[in-house]
Amino acid sequence: DQQVKQNSPSLSVQEGRISILNCDYTNSMFDYFLWYKKYPAEGPTFLISISSIKDKNEDGRFTVFLNKSAKHLSLHIVPSQPGDSAVYFCAAPLPTGANNLFFGTGTRLTVIP
Amino acid sequence: DTEVTQTPKHLVMGMTNKKSLKCEQHMGHRAMYWYKQKAKKPPELMFVYSYEKLSINESVPSRFSPECPNSSLLNLHLHALQPEDSALYLCASSQDSQSRNNQPQHFGDGTRLSIL
């Protein structure tokens, strides 16, 4: 059973516009969430994270929003750049025990120049 | 540039071969992980090492044998693999393995393994 879900397998956005990638989770025990970006032939690269004590975390062009009541988080990229074209995974570890990450299935973002 | 280095990048082996995947990190992290990723699927955890001791084995078949010679190195020994074991094998590390410390995992670029 997928505990972290990304229901949009792909997203296309014009350069300069906002990209919004969505993620839903089912396990209410999750309290820390991460976004990773993956280029072909490379491993996932850590992008940004958020703890459940916050509802927003910003780092440059990247902002993650967390809605705990809806069990939903989103990653906003603004302005989008062609170099942002990649697969984006959201992930969460269980809050106790070892740092076992549960990944969503990913969303392929294409930024059109 | 990734701070977690995996070798080799690609590996093709027969079902009777023995080979090893290697992973190295020099960030002083004390937790290291092996993940398996099939095409169009998310990574799935295989093993966790914490302070050089195996702390999690996610019901992985014994034909996969992990080894952590020291805090910077992690190996995955392969023997008698099956064609369905063909996948991308990712290594990751984090400062420690305790979820409550909210430490992100940093991944290598993976070894793409093909079993003939």
Side-chain angles (χ1 to χ4, degrees):
Chain A
D1 184 31
Q2 196 77 16
Q3 298 192 56
V4 178
K5 301 179 186 182
Q6 294 175 257
N7 293 319
S8 298
S10 63
L11 175 69
S12 290
V13 171
Q14 288 284 343
E15 181 179 2
R17 298 293 195 98
I18 185 170
S19 296
I20 301 176
L21 298 105
N22 294 304
C23 179
D24 298 293
Y25 60 97
T26 57
N27 191 334
S28 56
M29 291 182 68
F30 288 146
D31 63 4
Y32 178 61
F33 303 89
L34 308 95
W35 284 94
Y36 285 86
K37 176 168 79 170
K38 187 178 186 302
Y39 293 120
E42 293 184 12
T45 300
F46 170 67
L47 200 55
I48 192 169
S49 64
I50 188 166
S51 166
S52 62
I53 60 173
K54 294 185 173 183
D55 54 19
K56 176 182 173 181
N57 188 26
E58 195 171 349
D59 184 1
R61 296 185 297 115
F62 302 91
T63 303
V64 57
F65 294 92
L66 175 61
N67 182 334
K68 290 185 287 295
S69 61
K71 295 194 182 69
H72 177 83
L73 61 155
S74 60
L75 175 68
H76 293 212
I77 306 173
V78 56
S80 301
Q81 299 174 353
D84 296 329
S85 297
V87 178
Y88 290 78
F89 291 96
C90 66
L94 283 173
T96 57
N99 198 2
N100 180 4
L101 279 179
F102 292 89
F103 283 87
T105 49
T107 297
R108 180 176 300 280
L109 173 66
T110 302
V111 180
I112 304 163
Chain B
D1 286 340
T2 181
E3 296 177 86
V4 177
T5 305
Q6 290 186 244
T7 55
K9 287 193 182 301
H10 302 275
L11 178 62
V12 179
M13 58 188 284
M15 289 190 283
T16 58
N17 292 156
K18 283 186 183 181
K19 296 284 185 184
S20 297
L21 309 185
K22 296 186 183 304
C23 176
E24 189 168 2
Q25 58 87 14
H26 294 289
M27 294 180 281
H29 289 172
R30 302 315 301 266
M32 297 185 76
Y33 311 79
W34 281 115
Y35 286 83
K36 174 180 176 180
Q37 186 176 19
K38 300 282 277 186
K40 299 192 189 307
K41 298 281 190 182
E44 292 183 349
L45 184 69
M46 299 174 73
F47 301 104
V48 179
Y49 270 83
S50 178
Y51 291 84
E52 299 154 49
K53 291 192 185 328
L54 183 65
S55 64
I56 289 186
N57 174 343
E58 289 286 350
S59 304
V60 180
S62 60
R63 57 186 185 268
F64 295 91
S65 174
E67 179 199 15
C68 190
N70 61 55
S71 59
S72 300
L73 293 174
L74 185 65
N75 299 323
L76 187 61
H77 302 298
L78 315 171
H79 174 54
L81 295 195
Q82 305 296 310
E84 61 264 27
D85 297 322
S86 298
L88 180 68
Y89 288 84
L90 292 163
C91 173
S93 71
S94 64
Q95 281 202 321
D96 63 47
S97 66
Q98 293 302 306
S99 297
R100 63 176 179 270
N101 294 332
N102 289 349
Q103 297 294 333
Q105 294 180 27
H106 298 271
F107 286 81
D109 287 339
T111 294
R112 186 155 300 282
L113 177 65
S114 298
I115 307 300
L116 300 179

